Amino acid sequence: MTGPLEVLLDLIFPPKCVFCRRLLRKGEEGFCAHCQEHLPWSLGPEAERKVEFVSLCVSPLWYQSEVRESFHRYKFKGVRGYAKVYGRLMAQCVRDHLAGKYDLITWVPLSPERRKARGYDQAMLLAESAALELGDVAAETLVKVRDTSAQSGLGKDDGARRANVLGAYRPTDPELIAGKRLLLIDDVVTTGSTLSECARTLLAAGAADVVCVTLAKARK
């Protein structure tokens, strides 16, 4: 709902496209018409990807150009408001590819140390935003018990990435996930090792199935 405070803030800080940072025109919400047309969308079957222990992983965007730059502002420069727009895109991708395939929405958690340093858990914000768009709520099902090196620092070495996260997650409440089909949310999928380890942990704890959605995916 638009109120006086929101109108005033828009006058002082005009809303900009989360991708290219152009000022938004009337009728544009979150991102501009140019980005709507030219972003690296992953459409149809190319939005889908196989990840070990995951029935299906989907992403609305490729991780390149304006998407990468936008995401870096979100993840590393504290621009948390982007989560609302990202969540809307991810929710539509879920509707298109994963409708009826999950019972519970959750996310890949940060370690307490990383969350304290960053000030927020970017995947949790995405999960909450996407869940809201889907008329649902997100629930915590995993905790990260070991502060690992950043996966991005390991490049695309799948073996190193797998070893880095092996045993790093624990279920918070096995009763919550027992027999449930889970929609696991993360920001970007590169080799899939983090999603795979989280899904393996959830399945071992009694989940019936795991599907995933991320904002973007790296090209192999």
Side-chain angles (χ1 to χ4, degrees), residues 47-51 54-59 189 195 212-214:
E48 301 179 352
R49 175 173 175 170
K50 281 296 296 177
V51 172
V54 174
S55 291
L56 186 62
C57 180
V58 300
S59 311
V189 56
L195 289 174
C212 298
V213 62
T214 68

Side-chain angles (χ1 to χ4, degrees), residues 2 16 20 44 86 96 134-135 147 157 176 198 217-218:
T2 300
K16 296 180 181 180
C20 70
Y86 293 163
D96 291 342
L134 292 165
D147 187 33
D157 185 335
L176 175 65
C198 287
K217 61 178 179 176

Side-chain angles (χ1 to χ4, degrees), residues 48-204:
E48 301 179 352
R49 175 173 175 170
K50 281 296 296 177
V51 172
E52 189 176 16
F53 300 113
V54 174
S55 291
L56 186 62
C57 180
V58 300
S59 311
L61 293 159
W62 292 102
Y63 188 55
Q64 61 190 58
S65 60
E66 294 95 336
V67 176
R68 182 189 293 108
E69 294 166 9
S70 174
F71 177 71
H72 280 198
R73 293 192 296 274
Y74 169 65
K75 186 173 181 178
F76 302 117
K77 296 186 178 180
V79 191
R80 305 184 198 190
Y82 284 12
K84 181 178 180 180
V85 181
Y86 293 163
R88 192 167 80 238
L89 299 179
M90 295 166 73
Q92 186 57 54
C93 195
V94 169
R95 293 188 192 98
D96 291 342
H97 299 273
L98 300 176
K101 297 182 182 296
Y102 64 92
D103 308 305
L104 183 67
I105 299 174
T106 189
W107 65 89
V108 174
L110 284 181
S111 68
E113 296 87 350
R114 192 66 59 83
R115 180 170 177 170
K116 182 178 180 181
R118 184 167 296 155
Y120 57 100
D121 183 329
Q122 78 279 353
M124 182 184 76
L125 295 183
L126 292 178
E128 290 176 343
S129 178
L132 186 63
E133 288 285 335
L134 292 165
D136 208 331
V137 295
E140 183 181 48
T141 60
L142 291 170
V143 60
K144 195 169 187 182
V145 295
R146 180 164 56 82
D147 187 33
T148 59
S149 301
Q151 292 285 71
S152 57
L154 301 174
K156 294 186 178 181
D157 185 335
D158 189 37
R161 282 173 171 257
R162 285 173 180 269
N164 189 45
V165 295
L166 184 64
Y169 301 93
R170 292 286 185 275
T172 57
D173 183 359
E175 291 186 4
L176 175 65
I177 63 176
K180 298 280 183 33
R181 301 170 301 164
L182 303 183
L183 171 58
L184 181 63
I185 290 181
D186 202 7
D187 44 33
V188 177
V189 56
T190 303
T191 66
S193 54
T194 299
L195 289 174
S196 177
E197 178 61 16
C198 287
R200 185 191 68 79
T201 302
L202 291 166
L203 292 169

